[in-house]
């Protein structure tokens, strides 16, 4: 490959810098204004933590945060279990068509609005009362494909002969899974779970369509949307910063586990 000229390299770095500036300057401004002492969300008047303190006394936000945590934890646990079992079943079979691949990964490709309408229609057809339980079911459908893809990436390099050797030595299928298969794929399972948790915390469209009426099933993204319709305030900036910090932390941990999977 021919070496790029200095002018070309400078142009590429300029484009790269502009892209990163376009992506991250608005986020940096949001975080900075969440510490703004004044009530105006766009004019800096001094450093203060009062908007973070005020969040702790807002019952609606605390209720939404609890709902988000409940939905994220339960849906992550179910999606991780089902996604891991699905990945193992697919890789053990080893013979599968492209149609099965399309069915598994369809929730990752289908636009959120389409999936949300489909789930809403399905729940309505079953005469299910909308609430946290329908949001959890919807998030399981959404997250299952992500967990499955992460675990399958680890299973691609898994030596299935050790499973056969364990069976030849008299170990049951459950013992083989617990002592042989699970320790090998555990980093991928954890990475998939962290990814599912992050997606569930951030998700808005599917939750909005499947939550039903009332505030009992309002999640944090839905609460932020309800608040922002009346204008942006430093309190909203503070809440968005907290949600972003939780998501970044979970994604960072997931990437660390993913690097461990690639290195093995």
């Amino acid at each position: 490959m021919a070496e790029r000229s200095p002018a070309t390299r400078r142009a590429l770095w300029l484009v790269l810098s502009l892209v990163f500036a376009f992506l991250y300057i608005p986020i940096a401004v949001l975080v900075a204004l969440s510490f703004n002492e004044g009530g105006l969300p766009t004019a800096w008047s001094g450093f203060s933590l009062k908007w973070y303190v005020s969040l702790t006394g807002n019952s609606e936000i605390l209720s939404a945060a609890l709902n988000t945590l409940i939905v994220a934890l339960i849906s992550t646990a179910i999606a991780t279990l089902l996604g891991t079992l699905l990945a193992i079943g697919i890789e053990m079979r080893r013979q599968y068509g492209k149609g099965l691949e399309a069915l598994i990964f369809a929730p990752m490709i289908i636009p959120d609005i389409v999936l949300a309408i489909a789930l809403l229609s399905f729940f309505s057809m079953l005469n299910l009362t909308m609430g946290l339980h329908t949001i959890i079911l919807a998030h399981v459908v959404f997250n299952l494909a992500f967990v499955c893809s992460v675990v399958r990436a680890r299973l691609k390099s898994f030596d299935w002969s050790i499973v056969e050797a364990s069976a030849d030595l008299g170990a049951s299928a459950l013992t083989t899974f617990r002592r042989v298969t699970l320790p090998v794929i555990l980093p991928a399972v954890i990475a998939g779970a962290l990814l599912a948790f992050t997606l569930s915390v951030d998700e808005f469209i599917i939750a909005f369509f499947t939550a039903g009426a009332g505030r009992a099933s309002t999640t944090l993204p839905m609460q932020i949307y309800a608040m922002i319709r009346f204008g942006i305030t430093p309190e909203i900036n503070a809440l968005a910063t907290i949600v972003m910090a939780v998501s970044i932390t979970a994604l960072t941990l997931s990437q660390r586990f993913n690097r461990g999977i690639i290195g093995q």
Side-chain angles (χ1 to χ4, degrees):
M1 181 182 295
E3 186 177 352
R4 296 187 179 94
S5 65
T8 302
R9 288 198 297 268
R10 285 194 294 270
L12 290 175
W13 275 111
L14 177 61
V15 173
L16 182 64
S17 301
L18 290 174
V19 170
F20 276 104
F22 177 78
L23 290 175
Y24 293 109
I25 285 179
I27 296 176
V29 170
L30 180 145
V31 174
L33 290 177
S34 70
F35 298 100
N36 186 18
E37 184 178 7
L40 295 176
T42 56
W44 181 263
S45 58
F47 181 85
S48 176
L49 294 173
K50 70 177 184 179
W51 303 113
Y52 289 89
V53 175
S54 69
L55 292 178
T56 61
N58 191 318
S59 60
E60 292 182 349
I61 291 176
L62 293 178
S63 176
L66 179 60
N67 289 339
T68 299
L69 190 61
I70 292 172
V71 169
L73 290 176
I74 297 178
S75 64
T76 295
I78 298 174
T80 301
L81 175 62
L82 296 180
T84 300
L85 294 177
L86 179 61
I88 293 173
I90 292 174
E91 291 303 318
M92 285 185 66
R93 186 183 178 194
R94 292 179 180 271
Q95 294 181 350
Y96 45 84
K98 293 183 178 180
L100 179 60
E101 292 272 0
L103 287 175
I104 293 171
F105 297 111
M108 300 173 62
I109 302 170
I110 296 175
D112 287 355
I113 186 67
V114 176
L115 183 59
I117 294 173
L119 289 168
L120 175 61
S121 301
F122 179 71
F123 294 149
S124 299
M125 183 181 66
L126 296 178
N127 292 321
L128 281 178
T129 303
M130 300 296 176
L132 284 182
H133 58 287
T134 50
I135 301 178
I136 291 171
L137 291 174
H139 280 196
V140 169
V141 172
F142 178 71
N143 287 327
L144 193 149
F146 290 93
V147 176
C148 180
S149 64
V150 173
V151 177
R152 282 187 66 193
R154 179 67 186 94
L155 289 172
K156 290 293 184 183
S157 59
F158 183 73
D159 185 5
W160 291 100
S161 63
I162 61 177
V163 174
E164 298 172 358
S166 176
D168 291 340
L169 292 172
S172 65
L174 181 60
T175 301
T176 299
F177 175 77
R178 184 166 54 88
R179 295 194 174 185
V180 178
T181 308
L182 184 59
V184 176
I185 67 173
L186 186 59
V189 174
I190 296 175
L194 289 170
L195 178 60
F197 180 84
T198 303
L199 293 172
S200 184
V201 169
D202 287 344
E203 204 285 316
F204 167 74
I205 297 177
I206 295 176
F208 182 80
F209 274 77
T210 59
R215 309 194 69 85
S217 56
T218 299
T219 61
L220 264 182
M222 294 169 62
Q223 180 64 31
I224 293 175
Y225 174 74
M227 294 169 63
I228 208 171
R229 287 187 301 172
F230 301 100
I232 300 175
T233 65
E235 193 175 39
I236 294 176
N237 292 335
L239 182 57
T241 301
I242 293 173
V243 173
M244 182 178 63
V246 172
S247 301
I248 290 175
T249 301
L251 280 175
T252 301
L253 292 174
S254 178
Q255 287 297 318
R256 286 183 177 274
F257 281 105
N258 271 325
R259 281 201 294 269
I261 296 168
I262 296 173
Q264 292 176 356

